[in-house]
Amino acid sequence: MKRVKSACICQTLHFMLKEDLGHDYAVRLVNEEVAHYKKTLERNQTKYKIVEESVQPDGSIIIKIIKQYNTSPVGDYLL
């Protein structure tokens, strides 16, 4: 029999601008979307670590994150 001792998922998320909106408004929406994503992680009590967060020249945002996979223990992944 096997059991998961610890598990995390590594993701690179690109929060892209909506093309049919004005640039400034689209950038503001992306910032709000990133904030909402982080609040959702906190609200769901998902353990996570943002490894890198970078704003691109067009105003979009790329986040590299390690986060808890489902409800599995995170072990040493998030130290």
Side-chain angles (χ1 to χ4, degrees), residues 16-56:
M16 299 174 64
L17 301 179
K18 293 188 168 80
E19 295 179 13
D20 57 341
L21 302 174
H23 181 74
D24 292 339
Y25 183 60
V27 169
R28 191 172 79 215
L29 287 179
V30 164
N31 287 319
E32 289 173 3
E33 185 179 4
V34 169
H36 181 263
Y37 178 74
K38 291 176 182 178
K39 285 179 188 173
T40 301
L41 290 172
E42 295 290 336
R43 185 174 52 245
N44 294 336
Q45 298 178 346
T46 302
K47 295 177 181 146
Y48 69 96
K49 178 167 74 172
I50 295 178
V51 178
E52 183 181 334
E53 182 172 342
S54 58
V55 177
Q56 302 305 297

Side-chain angles (χ1 to χ4, degrees), residues 57-70:
D58 68 349
S60 64
I61 299 175
I62 294 179
I63 294 178
K64 293 183 181 180
I65 186 170
I66 301 171
K67 67 179 187 175
Q68 184 177 23
Y69 181 72
N70 294 332

